[in-house]
Amino acid sequence: MGFLSRRLERAVERRSKHKVTEADRAAFVALATGLLGRDRTEGSPFDARVSVTLGMSRPGSEGPALRLLATEVRDHGVPITIDELGAFGRCARLFGVPEDDWTFLGANLER
């Protein structure tokens, strides 16, 4: 998660003229991949939905992919860490996703 945090922090700092790069997408893919296998419900479609999210992480579609990922995490009650919540926030700022589309993830924090 350290790589992800540093990469996204740098990207957000220069957001004014920053275009989303392959490294930014790689950081998002690392976040999404880290969520695979976390749904405790046997036979749940969560991993399939995360796979769809990963497939959507192409130029220009990162925002909708992040929204889909956040919704799936919420709907399936998948636990996330504070670092992952921070990564969601950095990705959201980078990809132009409004706070209303991801801040509900705070309810899924592991305690």
Side-chain angles (χ1 to χ4, degrees):
M1 291 306 296
F3 159 76
L4 175 66
S5 297
R6 287 188 304 275
R7 177 67 189 130
L8 289 174
E9 283 170 13
R10 280 193 303 257
V12 169
E13 286 172 7
R14 27 176 227 264
R15 174 112 169 51
S16 59
K17 294 188 179 184
H18 178 72
K19 292 185 179 178
V20 177
T21 66
E22 285 301 317
D24 298 328
R25 269 183 224 91
F28 173 66
V29 167
L31 170 65
T33 302
L35 296 171
L36 288 170
R38 292 212 194 157
D39 191 356
R40 295 181 176 101
T41 309
E42 188 173 331
S44 171
F46 178 73
D47 285 352
R49 300 299 288 172
V50 173
S51 295
V52 167
T53 299
L54 292 170
M56 288 176 65
S57 58
R58 294 188 195 116
S61 62
E62 302 91 350
L66 182 68
R67 286 184 192 94
L68 175 64
L69 184 62
T71 301
E72 292 303 315
V73 168
R74 178 196 62 200
D75 290 351
H76 291 276
V78 172
I80 61 171
T81 66
I82 191 74
D83 291 337
E84 289 166 335
L85 182 61
F88 264 99
R90 287 186 291 278
C91 281
R93 284 190 300 277
L94 178 63
F95 302 142
V97 177
E99 287 184 4
D100 291 345
D101 291 345
W102 65 271
T103 52
F104 50 77
L105 292 175
N108 289 57
L109 280 177
E110 287 182 330
R111 302 204 192 306

